[in-house]
Amino acid sequence: LQDMVKAKITPSNVTFSILIKAYSGAGRLEECFKVVERMPFYNVQPGKIVYTCLFQAGAAAGDLSRVLALFKEMDAKGIAADGPVYTAVVTALTKAGNPAAALDMIEEAGRKRVQLTSRAFSTVANGLEKQGLNSDLRNLERLQQTFGVDDRTARNNCSY
């Protein structure tokens, strides 16, 4: 980062998200959060892309409470969650082993009229199936219809 500043290149949310992904890939979750703490020193505030990378890092580390806390923090800062943000949280929660919490997020997105992609549904569907949560799976199918997501499309776009 210092080299960027010396070269008069301003770091951005993309710059910091790349650093977060690198630390996450190395299994260094705490370093991901230190990156975010340093952002204000470069006059950059975390945006959706940074939070999305943090959701993924938290999921990779299996830290569900941190993923949910980050989502609440983002909302408290007035950063509106859109479809890609909800999809990232849903995917993170499912991959970390809690598809029921992911289903709750899908329901919240529906209440807020946030449009989700088939990826969110397919990821949760596979997570629910793996855990044998058939009643939750039926609820997810009902939500898919509410969102207008075709079940065949959702199943074919699985990213889990």
Side-chain angles (χ1 to χ4, degrees):
L1 285 174
Q2 289 91 0
D3 289 340
M4 286 182 71
V5 173
K6 285 179 189 174
K8 306 234 186 273
I9 300 170
T10 306
S12 67
N13 268 275
V14 173
T15 307
F16 290 101
S17 68
I18 291 168
L19 290 171
I20 291 166
K21 282 196 158 291
Y23 281 124
S24 176
R28 297 171 60 186
L29 182 62
E30 291 310 314
E31 290 297 321
C32 296
F33 292 95
K34 288 179 183 175
V35 166
V36 176
E37 290 171 8
R38 291 193 297 261
M39 290 178 71
F41 296 109
Y42 296 94
N43 295 317
V44 179
Q45 294 301 315
K48 291 177 188 177
I49 189 170
V50 167
Y51 278 102
T52 299
C53 290
L54 289 172
F55 299 147
Q56 293 165 346
D63 194 340
L64 296 178
S65 61
R66 202 166 224 172
V67 169
L68 292 171
L70 285 167
F71 187 77
K72 289 178 183 175
E73 175 185 308
M74 193 180 102
D75 185 54
K77 288 183 176 182
I79 302 171
D82 56 10
V85 169
Y86 270 100
T87 298
V89 174
V90 162
T91 301
L93 292 171
T94 302
K95 285 186 175 184
N98 196 339
L103 181 59
D104 292 342
M105 278 290 169
I106 288 177
E107 289 174 341
E108 179 180 315
R111 286 190 300 275
K112 292 183 176 182
R113 306 233 184 260
V114 174
Q115 188 62 44
L116 297 178
T117 64
S118 61
R119 178 179 175 211
F121 291 95
S122 64
T123 300
V124 176
N126 284 316
L128 292 170
E129 281 179 341
K130 284 181 180 182
Q131 292 188 6
L133 300 172
N134 294 331
S135 62
D136 285 340
L137 193 55
R138 285 189 293 279
N139 192 22
L140 179 66
E141 289 167 355
R142 179 188 54 77
L143 288 169
Q144 279 180 217
Q145 292 172 352
T146 302
F147 275 89
V149 175
D150 181 359
D151 183 51
R152 289 164 297 166
T153 303
R155 295 301 174 130
N156 292 333
N157 287 326
C158 179
S159 63
Y160 185 82

PDB file of all heavy atoms in Angstrom, residues 104-117:
ATOM      1  N   ASP A 104     -33.126 -18.198   6.558  1.00  0.00           N
ATOM      2  CA  ASP A 104     -33.629 -16.989   7.233  1.00  0.00           C
ATOM      3  C   ASP A 104     -33.222 -15.726   6.478  1.00  0.00           C
ATOM      4  O   ASP A 104     -34.006 -14.779   6.367  1.00  0.00           O
ATOM      5  CB  ASP A 104     -33.108 -16.912   8.676  1.00  0.00           C
ATOM      6  CG  ASP A 104     -33.696 -17.988   9.580  1.00  0.00           C
ATOM      7  OD1 ASP A 104     -34.738 -18.580   9.217  1.00  0.00           O
ATOM      8  OD2 ASP A 104     -33.087 -18.235  10.653  1.00  0.00           O
ATOM      9  N   MET A 105     -32.004 -15.708   5.959  1.00  0.00           N
ATOM     10  CA  MET A 105     -31.530 -14.551   5.186  1.00  0.00           C
ATOM     11  C   MET A 105     -32.332 -14.393   3.897  1.00  0.00           C
ATOM     12  O   MET A 105     -32.636 -13.273   3.486  1.00  0.00           O
ATOM     13  CB  MET A 105     -30.047 -14.693   4.843  1.00  0.00           C
ATOM     14  CG  MET A 105     -29.137 -14.290   5.931  1.00  0.00           C
ATOM     15  SD  MET A 105     -29.205 -12.496   6.145  1.00  0.00           S
ATOM     16  CE  MET A 105     -28.309 -12.377   7.652  1.00  0.00           C
ATOM     17  N   ILE A 106     -32.656 -15.505   3.261  1.00  0.00           N
ATOM     18  CA  ILE A 106     -33.468 -15.440   2.041  1.00  0.00           C
ATOM     19  C   ILE A 106     -34.843 -14.866   2.370  1.00  0.00           C
ATOM     20  O   ILE A 106     -35.373 -14.027   1.633  1.00  0.00           O
ATOM     21  CB  ILE A 106     -33.581 -16.819   1.365  1.00  0.00           C
ATOM     22  CG1 ILE A 106     -32.237 -17.186   0.736  1.00  0.00           C
ATOM     23  CG2 ILE A 106     -34.692 -16.836   0.322  1.00  0.00           C
ATOM     24  CD1 ILE A 106     -32.193 -18.562   0.104  1.00  0.00           C
ATOM     25  N   GLU A 107     -35.413 -15.307   3.491  1.00  0.00           N
ATOM     26  CA  GLU A 107     -36.710 -14.765   3.906  1.00  0.00           C
ATOM     27  C   GLU A 107     -36.614 -13.264   4.169  1.00  0.00           C
ATOM     28  O   GLU A 107     -37.502 -12.498   3.791  1.00  0.00           O
ATOM     29  CB  GLU A 107     -37.213 -15.503   5.150  1.00  0.00           C
ATOM     30  CG  GLU A 107     -37.643 -16.918   4.849  1.00  0.00           C
ATOM     31  CD  GLU A 107     -38.019 -17.721   6.092  1.00  0.00           C
ATOM     32  OE1 GLU A 107     -37.631 -17.333   7.214  1.00  0.00           O
ATOM     33  OE2 GLU A 107     -38.707 -18.734   5.930  1.00  0.00           O
ATOM     34  N   GLU A 108     -35.531 -12.833   4.811  1.00  0.00           N
ATOM     35  CA  GLU A 108     -35.334 -11.400   5.070  1.00  0.00           C
ATOM     36  C   GLU A 108     -35.235 -10.631   3.760  1.00  0.00           C
ATOM     37  O   GLU A 108     -35.821  -9.559   3.617  1.00  0.00           O
ATOM     38  CB  GLU A 108     -34.071 -11.180   5.901  1.00  0.00           C
ATOM     39  CG  GLU A 108     -33.784  -9.723   6.192  1.00  0.00           C
ATOM     40  CD  GLU A 108     -32.529  -9.529   7.024  1.00  0.00           C
ATOM     41  OE1 GLU A 108     -32.335 -10.263   8.009  1.00  0.00           O
ATOM     42  OE2 GLU A 108     -31.747  -8.616   6.674  1.00  0.00           O
ATOM     43  N   ALA A 109     -34.476 -11.167   2.820  1.00  0.00           N
ATOM     44  CA  ALA A 109     -34.352 -10.517   1.509  1.00  0.00           C
ATOM     45  C   ALA A 109     -35.721 -10.369   0.861  1.00  0.00           C
ATOM     46  O   ALA A 109     -36.037  -9.325   0.279  1.00  0.00           O
ATOM     47  CB  ALA A 109     -33.410 -11.309   0.609  1.00  0.00           C
ATOM     48  N   GLY A 110     -36.538 -11.400   0.991  1.00  0.00           N
ATOM     49  CA  GLY A 110     -37.889 -11.341   0.427  1.00  0.00           C
ATOM     50  C   GLY A 110     -38.723 -10.251   1.071  1.00  0.00           C
ATOM     51  O   GLY A 110     -39.439  -9.518   0.382  1.00  0.00           O
ATOM     52  N   ARG A 111     -38.638 -10.139   2.400  1.00  0.00           N
ATOM     53  CA  ARG A 111     -39.393  -9.081   3.096  1.00  0.00           C
ATOM     54  C   ARG A 111     -38.947  -7.689   2.660  1.00  0.00           C
ATOM     55  O   ARG A 111     -39.743  -6.768   2.599  1.00  0.00           O
ATOM     56  CB  ARG A 111     -39.234  -9.221   4.620  1.00  0.00           C
ATOM     57  CG  ARG A 111     -40.022 -10.373   5.222  1.00  0.00           C
ATOM     58  CD  ARG A 111     -40.028 -10.317   6.743  1.00  0.00           C
ATOM     59  NE  ARG A 111     -38.713 -10.376   7.330  1.00  0.00           N
ATOM     60  CZ  ARG A 111     -38.023 -11.489   7.600  1.00  0.00           C
ATOM     61  NH1 ARG A 111     -38.560 -12.662   7.304  1.00  0.00           N
ATOM     62  NH2 ARG A 111     -36.828 -11.440   8.149  1.00  0.00           N
ATOM     63  N   LYS A 112     -37.657  -7.565   2.331  1.00  0.00           N
ATOM     64  CA  LYS A 112     -37.121  -6.269   1.910  1.00  0.00           C
ATOM     65  C   LYS A 112     -37.209  -6.067   0.400  1.00  0.00           C
ATOM     66  O   LYS A 112     -36.725  -5.076  -0.121  1.00  0.00           O
ATOM     67  CB  LYS A 112     -35.665  -6.138   2.375  1.00  0.00           C
ATOM     68  CG  LYS A 112     -35.540  -6.038   3.880  1.00  0.00           C
ATOM     69  CD  LYS A 112     -34.106  -5.835   4.294  1.00  0.00           C
ATOM     70  CE  LYS A 112     -34.004  -5.634   5.791  1.00  0.00           C
ATOM     71  NZ  LYS A 112     -32.625  -5.381   6.217  1.00  0.00           N
ATOM     72  N   ARG A 113     -37.814  -7.041  -0.262  1.00  0.00           N
ATOM     73  CA  ARG A 113     -37.997  -6.992  -1.716  1.00  0.00           C
ATOM     74  C   ARG A 113     -36.666  -6.914  -2.477  1.00  0.00           C
ATOM     75  O   ARG A 113     -36.546  -6.233  -3.487  1.00  0.00           O
ATOM     76  CB  ARG A 113     -38.911  -5.846  -2.122  1.00  0.00           C
ATOM     77  CG  ARG A 113     -40.249  -5.859  -1.405  1.00  0.00           C
ATOM     78  CD  ARG A 113     -41.373  -5.796  -2.412  1.00  0.00           C
ATOM     79  NE  ARG A 113     -42.660  -5.706  -1.764  1.00  0.00           N
ATOM     80  CZ  ARG A 113     -43.453  -6.747  -1.599  1.00  0.00           C
ATOM     81  NH1 ARG A 113     -43.086  -7.923  -1.977  1.00  0.00           N
ATOM     82  NH2 ARG A 113     -44.633  -6.614  -1.030  1.00  0.00           N
ATOM     83  N   VAL A 114     -35.680  -7.626  -1.968  1.00  0.00           N
ATOM     84  CA  VAL A 114     -34.383  -7.717  -2.631  1.00  0.00           C
ATOM     85  C   VAL A 114     -34.415  -8.948  -3.525  1.00  0.00           C
ATOM     86  O   VAL A 114     -34.736 -10.047  -3.068  1.00  0.00           O
ATOM     87  CB  VAL A 114     -33.235  -7.840  -1.599  1.00  0.00           C
ATOM     88  CG1 VAL A 114     -31.906  -8.076  -2.299  1.00  0.00           C
ATOM     89  CG2 VAL A 114     -33.173  -6.588  -0.732  1.00  0.00           C
ATOM     90  N   GLN A 115     -34.111  -8.769  -4.783  1.00  0.00           N
ATOM     91  CA  GLN A 115     -34.137  -9.869  -5.738  1.00  0.00           C
ATOM     92  C   GLN A 115     -32.869 -10.701  -5.615  1.00  0.00           C
ATOM     93  O   GLN A 115     -31.770 -10.164  -5.645  1.00  0.00           O
ATOM     94  CB  GLN A 115     -34.283  -9.340  -7.166  1.00  0.00           C
ATOM     95  CG  GLN A 115     -34.497 -10.414  -8.199  1.00  0.00           C
ATOM     96  CD  GLN A 115     -35.781 -11.207  -7.964  1.00  0.00           C
ATOM     97  OE1 GLN A 115     -36.818 -10.652  -7.675  1.00  0.00           O
ATOM     98  NE2 GLN A 115     -35.687 -12.511  -8.100  1.00  0.00           N
ATOM     99  N   LEU A 116     -33.033 -11.998  -5.467  1.00  0.00           N
ATOM    100  CA  LEU A 116     -31.903 -12.913  -5.377  1.00  0.00           C
ATOM    101  C   LEU A 116     -31.769 -13.720  -6.666  1.00  0.00           C
ATOM    102  O   LEU A 116     -32.737 -13.917  -7.381  1.00  0.00           O
ATOM    103  CB  LEU A 116     -32.087 -13.872  -4.201  1.00  0.00           C
ATOM    104  CG  LEU A 116     -32.143 -13.233  -2.825  1.00  0.00           C
ATOM    105  CD1 LEU A 116     -32.383 -14.292  -1.767  1.00  0.00           C
ATOM    106  CD2 LEU A 116     -30.868 -12.478  -2.531  1.00  0.00           C
ATOM    107  N   THR A 117     -30.570 -14.206  -6.885  1.00  0.00           N
ATOM    108  CA  THR A 117     -30.325 -15.036  -8.057  1.00  0.00           C
ATOM    109  C   THR A 117     -30.604 -16.496  -7.724  1.00  0.00           C
ATOM    110  O   THR A 117     -30.730 -16.872  -6.561  1.00  0.00           O
ATOM    111  CB  THR A 117     -28.852 -14.913  -8.503  1.00  0.00           C
ATOM    112  OG1 THR A 117     -28.020 -15.438  -7.458  1.00  0.00           O
ATOM    113  CG2 THR A 117     -28.483 -13.464  -8.796  1.00  0.00           C
TER     114      THR A 117
END
